[in-house]
Amino acid sequence: MELTQQSPDIGAYLAADEAIDHEHPRVVEVATRLAYGADTAYVYARAAFEFVRDAIPHSADSGDPRVTWRASEVLAARTGICHAKSITLVALLRARSIPAGLCYQRLADDDGTNPMVHGLVALRLPGSGRWARVDPRGNKPGIDARFSLEEERLAWVAREEFDEVDYPAIHAAPPEVILHALRGARDRSELWRNLPERL
């Protein structure tokens, strides 16, 4: 699948916004710490990916009912669903001038029911001519997502037989339908009921 920039301006993938608040002191502090000893953009990007994947539990795995959505908030609370974790990784990458955006999959249960939109990250290292997708969701038994720019190692592969979809667009900002669900939910159970089934 060929990824496509939703915005033709690469600068859009370095910008800060309400959710991707990479100029916030907390985001800057974490990015600075992760950059210590990282002598290349690749090493830093992998460190940022592994930090978000491993040090911030997915709230469904940990049972945390709190809903987070701003990168600075996710870093403070150390919890979030895939969308919050993806926003956080994008913020950490942009904090070190690495273009990054948000990508999505439509996934379902093994019988094709309960479709949901799953959040991923696309990044483009300086000097690279292509975008690569990574999945900072967090690993658990049966899920082994890795940082790989050559061969995708995502949590899930979209299955056409269950009407699952890889959306090719790279979003510079979270789609409003995702933000609306995140901002409006009082807890994770309410969020599950309101997350979109498709983009």
Side-chain angles (χ1 to χ4, degrees):
M1 181 189 66
E2 185 175 347
L3 298 173
T4 58
Q5 291 179 207
Q6 189 186 44
S7 171
D9 179 9
I10 196 70
Y13 298 94
L14 293 167
D17 62 31
E18 186 181 15
I20 305 168
D21 57 345
H22 64 74
E23 296 168 348
H24 189 283
R26 187 174 293 115
V27 180
V28 172
E29 185 275 324
V30 173
T32 301
R33 182 164 36 88
L34 291 171
Y36 183 76
D39 56 355
T40 67
Y42 177 92
V43 172
Y44 172 79
R46 188 175 72 187
F49 167 82
E50 292 175 351
F51 171 80
V52 174
R53 183 193 65 187
D54 300 339
I56 301 172
H58 190 290
S59 57
D61 296 345
S62 66
D64 195 320
R66 294 174 294 167
V67 176
T68 54
W69 58 277
R70 281 189 183 94
S72 58
E73 182 184 24
V74 174
L75 291 172
R78 292 296 176 97
T79 190
I81 67 165
C82 62
H83 299 290
K85 294 183 66 164
S86 293
I87 286 167
T88 303
L89 178 55
V90 168
L92 290 171
L93 292 169
R94 291 184 186 182
R96 303 302 291 184
S97 301
I98 297 173
L102 298 157
C103 289
Y104 299 94
Q105 294 175 309
R106 181 181 187 268
L107 302 174
D109 289 343
D110 286 341
D111 60 359
T113 61
N114 299 315
M116 61 160 284
V117 174
H118 174 60
L120 307 168
V121 171
L123 70 150
R124 186 171 178 167
L125 291 182
S128 172
R130 59 182 291 273
W131 289 90
R133 291 190 307 174
V134 295
D135 189 343
R137 180 229 178 268
N139 290 338
K140 63 179 185 176
I143 296 176
D144 185 26
R146 302 284 181 97
F147 185 82
S148 174
L149 304 183
E150 293 76 36
E151 179 185 359
E152 287 190 338
R153 295 289 304 273
L154 307 178
W156 292 285
V157 174
R159 303 167 298 179
E160 292 183 11
E161 64 270 26
F162 295 117
D163 198 27
E164 294 183 338
V165 176
D166 279 308
Y167 294 106
I170 306 168
H171 297 258
E176 185 54 39
V177 67
I178 300 288
L179 278 183
H180 180 74
L182 289 167
R183 287 190 301 237
R186 289 170 292 185
D187 57 31
R188 186 168 39 82
S189 62
E190 182 177 331
L191 177 60
W192 279 168
R193 294 192 298 271
N194 294 323
L195 280 172
E197 295 183 358
R198 65 182 70 241
L199 290 182

